[in-house]
Structure formats: C-alpha cells, structure tokens
Amino acid sequence: MKVAVRYYTKTGNTEKLAKAVADAVGVKALPISEPIDEPVDILFLGNSYYAFSIDPEVRDYIRKLDSTKVKRIVNFGSATMLNSTWKKVKAEADKVGIKMDDREFHCKGEFKGLHKGRPNEDDLKKAASFARKIVK
C-alpha cells in the first residue's frame, strides 16, 4: 500500500501531528506545497479551521489533486474551537472525484493561550495509533 502525508499549518500544531502520522506509517510528512507525483492509495491530509473554514490553500490543494493518483483521503488535524474539518475537505474531494475515508483524527490545538501545550505527547501517540489502524 502506497501512502503519503501532506499537511498545512500556520501554528505548527498540524505539522506535529503530521510527523507523528508519517512516522507511524513509514513515510515523510511534507507540506502541501509538495505535489503527489506518484500514485498513492492513501493521502493523509492534515489541516485545521481558520476563520471557520479550511484555509484557501488547502481548498486549492485539494482541487488540484489528480484522482488517478490519489485513491482516498484520510483527514486529520487540530483546532482550538471547532472540531472536524472532514465535511469541508470532503466537499472539495467530491469535486475532484477522490474518496474520503469516514474515519479521521482530530485533537485540540493551542492558539493564543487556549489549550496550552496541545497537541501534547498523548495526542501524538493517538494520532500515530490512528494512522497505523488505517493502513492495516
């Protein structure tokens, strides 16, 4: 099974999760500025809420994905207030014909003093465990 991990982060929180996910599945976590050049069965896509939606860079990244190279997206991320970005990511994935996995990983992320220290070691362990279950 071919796997890739891409992420978008403004605070570094999602990058921490991406590295935990990537380490767990034996690949390198790369920012969304790095294209998917080879076909993958699973794209772990890390993102978060910014102003009550996914960032326009994430939206544009998904819109540029090639459905012949990405079979399925698995969503993960962190946020301070809102939880899942799954519906927003799925709406974009649907537009380009890429399947979204129903499962996702989400945890709190620190921002402006809220949820200090998150994602923490426990969150990173849970993200890694989640990723390993996906690729089983």
Side-chain angles (χ1 to χ4, degrees):
M1 179 179 298
K2 296 276 264 176
V3 178
V5 177
R6 297 294 188 274
Y7 66 90
Y8 178 80
T9 190
K10 286 186 178 183
T11 63
N13 293 337
T14 305
E15 181 179 12
K16 288 177 190 176
L17 292 173
K19 288 179 178 179
V21 166
D23 287 349
V25 298
V27 299
K28 187 173 181 178
L30 299 171
I32 61 172
S33 58
E34 296 289 331
I36 301 292
D37 292 326
E38 296 180 14
V40 296
D41 298 299
I42 297 171
L43 169 60
F44 284 95
L45 181 60
N47 60 93
S48 185
Y49 270 103
Y50 300 103
F52 302 102
S53 191
I54 56 175
D55 193 276
E57 287 187 48
V58 174
R59 181 198 64 220
D60 293 346
Y61 175 77
I62 297 167
R63 289 180 181 176
K64 291 177 185 172
L65 288 173
D66 182 343
S67 64
T68 66
K69 289 187 179 176
V70 178
K71 287 186 183 175
R72 180 171 41 136
I73 295 173
V74 176
N75 197 52
F76 72 92
S78 68
T80 303
M81 304 302 275
L82 301 172
N83 288 328
S84 174
T85 57
W86 188 89
K87 287 182 182 178
K88 301 279 186 183
V89 172
K90 183 179 186 323
E92 297 304 325
D94 285 348
K95 292 176 186 175
V96 294
I98 298 175
K99 182 181 177 194
M100 279 289 293
D101 197 291
D102 292 336
R103 299 166 290 180
E104 74 169 334
F105 179 83
H106 183 84
C107 68
K108 294 293 182 192
E110 181 178 346
F111 184 69
K112 295 189 177 186
L114 293 173
H115 308 298
K116 194 114 179 104
R118 303 284 302 274
N120 57 29
E121 281 303 312
D122 188 49
D123 296 322
L124 300 179
K125 287 177 184 174
K126 288 177 181 174
S129 176
F130 167 79
R132 284 190 290 271
K133 288 177 187 170
I134 295 290
V135 298
K136 266 186 160 178

